[in-house]
Amino acid sequence: MHPELPGWVERVISIPRFAPYLDALSGNRLVAWDLYQWNVQVSEAFYGPLNCLEICLRNAEHDRLRNRFGTDDWWRVAPLDEYEAAKVTAAKQKLARKGVSLPSADDVVTELSFGFWVSLLSRRYDRRLWVPALHRAFPYYSGRREALRDNLQTMVLLRNRIMHHEPIHHRHLTADHAKIYRLLDYVEPQFAGWLRAFDRVPAVLTRRPERTRH
C-alpha cells in the first residue's frame, strides 16, 4: 500500500502555498510534502547564521559611524537621505508604541532593519559614508563597495523569504551558506569560526528529499 498525503495538508497550508512544491516535483504530492517539511527545517537552520550576519553588520557599521560623527546617535547629524531618515523615525515610533518613550541609541540600532544597514552601502553614500567611515567596518575586505552591497542584499532577500515563510528550496543554498561566512569573514573571522561550531545548515542540506518516494 502506498502512503497517502494527510488530508489536512492542503486545507491547512492552502493550495496556493503548497503549489510551488508540487510544481517543483512534477505534481508528486508525497515528495512535495517532504520538500515542504524540509523547507521549514532548512529555513530554521539558516536563521542562526543570518541572525549572526545581521548583528555583525549593524554593530560594525554603528561603531564606525559613531566614531565618524562623534556621537552614539549619529543619525541626528549624518547626511542621510529621506528614505533612511524615515527608517530611523519609524524605528523610534515603533519603540514608542512599545512604551520606550526615551530610547537610547542602542535601542534605535536594535530596531533598525537588516535592509537599513545594507542601504547605507548604496552608491549614493559612497562619498558621504563609505569612503570616510564604512569601509573600515570590513577590515578584511578589499573589493568594490558595489559587490559587497549586492552580496549583502541577497542575504536580506533570503532572510525576508525565511521570515515570511516563503519557499527557499529553489535557491542555491550551499552557495548562500558559503556567502554568509564570506561576509562574516570580512568583518571578523573569529566570529565566523565561533558560528561554525553550532551551525546546523550543512547537516540539513544533506537531508533534502529525493525526487521519488515509494
Side-chain angles (χ1 to χ4, degrees):
M1 175 181 290
H2 295 289
E4 296 292 333
L5 186 70
W8 53 264
V9 168
E10 290 180 350
R11 183 178 70 254
V12 172
I13 294 172
S14 85
I15 293 175
R17 290 191 66 84
F18 194 49
Y21 301 90
L22 286 169
D23 292 344
L25 293 162
S26 303
N28 186 321
R29 289 159 57 85
L30 288 174
V31 185
W33 177 230
D34 290 341
L35 184 61
Y36 182 92
Q37 295 176 87
W38 180 83
N39 193 86
V40 172
Q41 294 166 9
V42 77
S43 296
E44 179 188 20
F46 262 101
Y47 176 82
L50 286 168
N51 175 271
C52 289
L53 178 61
E54 181 174 352
I55 290 173
C56 185
L57 175 68
R58 80 183 185 200
N59 288 338
E61 291 193 12
H62 175 54
D63 285 345
R64 300 321 309 171
L65 290 170
R66 67 182 177 183
N67 288 342
R68 170 65 178 172
F69 294 103
T71 179
D72 286 348
D73 53 350
W74 49 266
W75 45 84
R76 289 191 304 105
V77 294
L80 296 181
D81 282 356
E82 182 178 351
Y83 177 81
E84 282 73 32
K87 291 293 185 182
V88 174
T89 299
K92 293 178 180 178
Q93 292 171 342
K94 187 174 182 180
L95 287 165
R97 291 194 296 272
K98 294 178 179 179
V100 185
S101 56
L102 295 173
S104 67
D106 284 340
D107 290 333
V108 176
V109 166
T110 300
E111 201 64 49
L112 289 167
S113 69
F114 192 3
F116 170 85
W117 299 103
V118 175
S119 73
L120 297 183
L121 303 176
S122 299
R123 181 179 180 181
R124 62 185 181 278
Y125 288 120
D126 196 18
R127 293 296 173 185
R128 286 180 276 170
L129 300 180
W130 174 256
V131 172
L134 287 182
H135 74 278
R136 296 187 180 92
F138 308 91
Y140 302 97
Y141 181 68
S142 58
R144 297 177 63 84
R145 175 197 51 74
E146 294 94 332
L148 177 64
R149 186 264 175 196
D150 290 348
N151 282 318
L152 282 164
Q153 184 60 28
T154 65
M155 295 297 98
V156 172
L157 297 176
L158 174 59
R159 181 262 183 205
N160 289 346
R161 289 195 69 84
I162 289 172
M163 296 307 292
H164 290 92
H165 319 301
E166 297 290 339
I168 63 169
H169 61 82
H170 60 285
R171 295 179 60 105
H172 190 340
L173 293 175
T174 300
D176 285 330
H177 186 247
K179 185 178 291 184
I180 291 172
Y181 279 93
R182 188 163 66 251
L183 291 165
L184 286 172
D185 280 340
Y186 296 152
V187 181
E188 179 49 73
Q190 292 186 68
F191 185 44
W194 168 81
L195 173 60
R196 288 185 189 278
F198 63 89
D199 182 0
R200 296 187 298 108
V201 171
V204 177
L205 289 177
T206 66
R207 300 200 295 269
R208 184 185 177 98
E210 299 294 333
R211 294 190 64 87
T212 59
R213 175 173 165 182
H214 302 288

